[in-house]
Amino acid sequence: MTRPRLVMGNWKMNGSLQSNQQLLEQLVAGTSKQALSCELVVCAPHPYLAQVQHVLQNTPISWGAQNMSSYEAGAYTGEVSASMLLDFGCKWVLLGHSERRSLYAETDDAVLAKTEAALAAGLIPVICVGETEKEYLDGQTEAVVLRQLQAILKLSPKLLNSVVIAYEPVWAIGTGKSATPQQAQEVHAYIRELLRQCNAEAVRILYGGSVNADNAHALFTMPDIDGALVGGASLKAVDFLSIAAA
Ligand code: PGA
């Protein structure tokens, strides 16, 4: 099964109209010079989606959001729905990022509800999973990933094949301490096997956690790593473009 490579940038709560404009224009210029060998995506904060849409429409780069509500509309102050993301041309939405799970108490059930809402609306959910440092040291990685994915794996194979999974060990996020290619591959192979048992071999599994221009290539040589979810290094056009080139 060939799975198209995918490199996604997660800007988190960074940027301004001015700095985004520069970054986006550099990305567009960079991708018009080199043919992309992967799908390239940026996930921006909600207020900037209109700007991202304006600059990236009719380019090879697509875009998405970093979170959404599981509800369609109504009295949910501060929330953003799937249809709102579609209004601004989003194709993708990150769900269950570890920062949302740890800082905003997002549960596996909430991630499932959001996944179902995204799929129903026609967005591609990118479901983030990964263990904390303590869980890693306790040898709990597979158990944690299984718990986080259990409900998702019960989706019909047709729906399940439309999601993307990002494995991001929490201890590797924003720390400069990436998992080694072998460490990441082991977990990716485990997730791949879970997906295979559910007839979902089309699902792409991204690695995330301190991916940069120097370590991307080695990670991408691993058989079950289909791309990357990139935080810090996605804020610099040269770095993000060299990860895409890798
Ligand atoms: P990082 O973040 O690349 O800065 O480690 C990754 C992420 O949180 O998605």
Side-chain angles (χ1 to χ4, degrees):
M1 164 89 50
T2 58
R3 294 174 298 268
R5 298 278 173 152
L6 175 59
V7 172
M8 305 186 72
N10 172 12
W11 290 1
K12 308 194 180 185
M13 198 173 74
N14 292 295
S16 65
L17 279 176
Q18 200 185 348
S19 66
N20 300 343
Q21 192 70 23
Q22 198 181 12
L23 173 57
L24 291 165
E25 282 172 8
Q26 287 169 347
L27 292 178
V28 172
T31 50
S32 64
K33 272 190 235 113
Q34 75 186 41
L36 278 175
S37 50
C38 64
E39 272 183 88
L40 196 61
V41 179
V42 297
C43 294
H46 293 144
Y48 297 124
L49 289 171
Q51 179 189 27
V52 172
Q53 177 181 36
H54 181 74
V55 181
L56 295 186
Q57 63 191 348
N58 306 318
T59 74
I61 309 172
S62 58
W63 59 95
Q66 301 169 14
N67 180 32
M68 58 168 251
S69 170
S70 59
Y71 299 109
E72 281 175 30
Y76 303 103
T77 301
E79 292 291 296
V80 168
S81 70
S83 64
M84 294 173 187
L85 301 184
L86 290 170
D87 269 346
F88 292 94
C90 289
K91 179 173 170 188
W92 314 83
V93 62
L94 303 181
L95 295 178
H97 188 279
S98 73
E99 287 149 19
R100 301 237 31 109
R101 292 177 188 266
S102 67
L103 302 172
Y104 301 98
E106 236 172 67
T107 61
D108 296 332
D109 286 346
V111 176
L112 174 66
K114 291 178 181 201
T115 300
E116 289 175 326
L119 287 167
L123 288 163
I124 304 175
V126 180
I127 300 155
C128 306
V129 298
E131 80 286 5
T132 63
E133 179 151 48
K134 177 166 189 318
E135 290 162 339
Y136 170 70
L137 294 172
D138 289 348
Q140 293 298 307
T141 300
E142 290 188 358
V144 170
V145 166
L146 178 62
R147 190 204 75 220
Q148 291 172 329
L149 286 177
Q150 207 139 40
I152 306 285
L153 293 170
K154 296 205 178 95
L155 294 169
S156 71
K158 184 170 180 292
L159 286 178
L160 187 55
N161 271 302
S162 328
V163 313
V164 170
I165 291 172
Y167 168 60
E168 301 199 296
V170 177
W171 47 270
I173 295 178
T175 58
K177 200 170 74 177
S178 169
T180 65
Q182 293 73 20
Q183 275 174 327
Q185 166 59 26
E186 252 181 60
V187 184
H188 281 233
Y190 173 70
I191 296 171
R192 181 80 65 213
E193 176 56 23
L194 294 175
L195 291 165
R196 198 192 57 75
Q197 290 167 10
C198 299
N199 298 311
E201 271 149 310
V203 174
R204 286 175 285 184
I205 310 174
L206 309 181
Y207 169 76
S210 297
V211 175
N212 59 39
D214 296 328
N215 61 21
H217 178 73
L219 287 161
F220 295 162
T221 58
M222 294 291 128
D224 290 302
I225 298 183
D226 303 316
L229 179 56
V230 185
S234 72
L235 297 172
K236 278 214 198 120
V238 275
D239 292 355
F240 194 49
L241 288 168
S242 56
I243 293 168

